[in-house]
Amino acid sequence: MKAVCWEGTKKVEVQRVPDPEILNPRDIIVKITSTAICGSDLHLYDGVIPSMQKGDILGHEFMGEIVELGPSVKNLKVGDKVVVPFNISCGHCFFCGRQEYSLCDNSNPKPELADKLYGHSGGGLFGYSHMYGGYAGGQAEFARVPFGDVGPLVVPKGIDDDKVLFLSDIFPTGYMAAVNCNIQPGDTVAVWGCGPVGLFSIASAFLLGAERVIAIDNVPKRLQLASETLKAEVLNYDEVDVTEQLNLMTGGRGPDACIDAVGLEAHGTDLYSKYEEVKMGVKLATDRPIALRQAIQACRKGGTVSIPGVYGGFLDKVPMGAAFAKGLTFKMGQTHVKKYMPILLEHIISGRIDPSFLITHHINIEDAPNAYKTFHDKADDCVKVVIKNMH
Amino acid sequence: MEKEPSVTPEEQKQRLMDKGVYTEEAVTILASPRELYTYWRDPTHFKFFTDQLESVTPISETRSHWVWKTLKGAKTVEWDSEIIQDIPHSLISWQSVEGSDVFHSGSVEFVELPYSRGTMVKVKLAYDLPAGKLTDLLEKMLGESPHRNLKINLYKLRELFEAGEIATVEGQPAGNRREHETKTALH
């Protein structure tokens, strides 16, 4: 089959590789009909996530048709159309029992590095480094889905892939970010980053009853989607002092909740951010938390900082004093996709939201290497790339 | 079959600590002490969650023959093991029999947690040679980190009990320039 393989920093290739096979009784094989490139794939592309290996098949946002079932899978049938969560969950451990599916105890076959770096390992992820299991991803013609009886969501056959594909990651990720804000009537939510996760955070904050959403970015196309499609107020961080402006807009109180939908490779205009880009470039730092720093500074006293943006290592100059002094709550982590899939499918079917609004590029799998570059450079107004016509 | 406890856990630990290589690890599994004890009590089950094990053959109710792979080369390390303490659903401890090339002793304890939080499985292992010095062969058997091997094996035991299978990526496709596939343990 054809598959998008990681071959090193800023180097992805489409290669012919063997088809996946059932390896465990609870596996299923999915023939992929649509798969997307995620903003977090760009962290892999940039080589800032440790434990990637040449030849790793990328991709963790995919859907398709079941073509083979392992002998233990009884709740699905061949031909079912499924959307697959980016995280792999056994469904039976302590964490899966609490619907904390991304923290699954039993789905990472290579927990040693995360055990060492983080104290404990999270669950396995598709196509997202060996620290997260080294599972082959879904930017390919077929994928093996471990614990296929737990994660995949069967979707109605007639529905357009573009409407449900993002249930695999970015829609639930934006939604969980908003859920983590514990939104109360009248709340103002500020969102750093208007990439796909930021845009879904904005949409979800409104779905969950936010009074106002203020979105922050510097890419015109993204600010336009946030303001015109989603009706958020927007700030361009190249043009204004974000914390000062947020304070003015909220009558000096600050946003009730702040969402960092940027993560470890933030860009900024202040002195720290330039210093950190240099430090990260020469591997003296692993992450640059510019958005997070602003979010903490801007957030109202007693408010919540919600972090769907990915962090990998250690952060310098995080204003813990401000967080403490203002009594902030921090909520973060990989999304418990399976927990939120059913309610979000409901929202899609009922027409309350059509997640396809942010797709800017449909491509064939052969064009994936170019699309990575375009998406990375935010060129050609690129917001979201969907790969189709694999077969 | 139940034997009177002959040593307290503290004495057991002290005895193990005096030896060459000592390692201790704990994992919590959503299963009852009875299920875990019953599974552990049958040595033929170990091949399902212990990569380093070549074979194990029961000799009697309390005695079994263990053959271990080594890190490099074809040689194996083997010994007979005897259960010296057996408290059903609670504790098993064992040691290699008199005259073995390697002195090995170990224990496993099953502690039920309240509010259906599962069972703590606490394992202690020790290895030494009668002469007192670790040979190359024994080092190769234990790998760089016996602690890590034990931990990974206990994770696998948890996977068997909770997920019903052991997570793997061995045999999945990869790009053509893959240099190596990393493994979970050293073997």
Side-chain angles (χ1 to χ4, degrees), chain B:
Chain B
M1 170 273 3
E2 184 170 353
K3 287 189 173 179
E4 284 297 308
S6 52
V7 281
T8 65
E10 288 70 33
E11 286 168 342
Q12 173 81 5
K13 182 173 178 177
Q14 192 49 52
R15 199 162 74 186
L16 294 171
M17 292 285 273
D18 291 341
K19 299 299 170 188
V21 172
Y22 173 77
T23 183
E24 187 176 345
E25 190 54 64
V27 71
T28 300
I29 300 178
L30 293 183
S32 69
R34 171 188 289 271
E35 292 167 303
L36 289 160
Y37 165 88
T38 306
Y39 193 83
W40 194 288
R41 188 61 182 76
D42 181 348
T44 61
H45 287 150
F46 279 73
K47 62 177 179 290
F48 299 120
F49 64 100
T50 311
D51 280 349
Q52 303 83 355
L53 191 59
E54 177 80 33
S55 72
V56 55
T57 318
I59 299 166
S60 73
E61 186 59 29
T62 55
R63 191 174 281 213
S64 45
H65 184 68
W66 299 70
V67 182
W68 298 87
K69 296 170 195 167
T70 57
L71 204 52
K72 297 165 195 120
K75 269 192 113 175
T76 54
V77 177
E78 46 195 286
W79 60 71
D80 286 354
S81 178
E82 176 84 31
I83 290 178
I84 53 169
Q85 193 178 4
D86 185 359
I87 308 171
H89 318 148
S90 173
L91 182 134
I92 306 167
S93 67
W94 60 89
Q95 67 182 37
S96 52
V97 301
E98 204 79 28
S100 300
D101 291 342
V102 175
F103 175 83
H104 164 63
S105 68
S107 71
V108 58
E109 207 182 336
F110 306 100
V111 182
E112 190 164 17
L113 295 170
Y115 304 103
S116 309
R117 280 171 173 249
T119 298
M120 266 200 279
V121 180
K122 300 163 94 168
V123 179
K124 298 164 184 173
L125 299 176
Y127 306 88
D128 203 359
L129 292 175
K133 199 160 173 276
L134 288 175
T135 62
D136 191 38
L137 188 61
L138 186 56
E139 271 174 7
K140 276 182 182 161
M141 177 211 146
L142 294 169
E144 283 163 22
S145 172
H147 178 77
R148 186 170 67 180
N149 288 349
L150 174 58
K151 191 168 191 174
I152 295 294
N153 292 338
L154 289 175
Y155 284 164
K156 288 182 176 175
L157 180 68
R158 184 175 65 196
E159 288 170 36
L160 278 177
F161 268 82
E162 293 180 351
E165 61 186 40
I166 291 173
T168 186
V169 291
E170 278 175 54
Q172 70 174 7
N176 310 322
R177 282 195 287 279
R178 162 73 96 240
E179 280 144 3
H180 63 287
E181 177 71 51
T182 54
K183 298 237 177 167
T184 50
L186 285 163
H187 293 262

Side-chain angles (χ1 to χ4, degrees), chain A residues 139-160:
Chain A
Q139 288 164 9
E141 290 184 74
F142 297 89
R144 162 192 171 239
V145 177
F147 304 126
D149 54 341
V150 172
L153 174 79
V154 179
V155 292
K157 280 239 165 68
I159 202 161
D160 184 10

Side-chain angles (χ1 to χ4, degrees), chain A residues 241-375:
Chain A
D241 181 320
V242 172
T243 37
E244 201 178 286
Q245 201 58 33
L246 283 171
N247 217 31
L248 282 173
M249 292 168 82
T250 55
R253 196 177 267 167
D256 301 282
C258 292
I259 295 177
D260 169 5
V262 178
L264 82 166
E265 291 188 88
H267 302 284
T269 52
D270 65 349
L271 207 58
Y272 281 154
S273 33
K274 297 299 165 208
Y275 164 70
E276 279 166 340
E277 284 190 35
V278 171
K279 257 183 37 170
M280 207 160 158
V282 294
K283 306 272 180 214
L284 280 172
T286 58
D287 304 52
R288 35 176 213 266
I290 298 147
L292 179 61
R293 200 149 51 216
Q294 282 185 0
I296 292 169
Q297 205 67 26
C299 196
R300 79 151 160 79
K301 292 182 280 184
T304 300
V305 175
S306 164
I307 312 172
V310 173
Y311 288 91
F314 296 88
L315 306 189
D316 278 352
K317 308 201 171 49
V318 171
M320 206 60 197
F324 180 84
K326 299 202 289 181
L328 301 184
T329 298
F330 281 63
K331 299 279 278 180
M332 64 191 88
Q334 299 280 5
T335 310
H336 311 308
V337 173
K338 182 184 161 60
K339 180 177 178 181
Y340 301 108
M341 276 179 143
I343 172 91
L344 297 179
L345 179 62
E346 204 34 60
H347 282 313
I348 294 166
I349 288 174
S350 71
R352 279 187 288 272
I353 185 166
D354 177 358
S356 63
F357 75 90
L358 47 60
I359 300 173
T360 50
H361 292 67
H362 281 109
I363 62 161
N364 295 329
I365 194 166
E366 285 77 11
D367 298 325
N370 287 332
Y372 265 86
K373 185 166 175 9
T374 307
F375 188 27

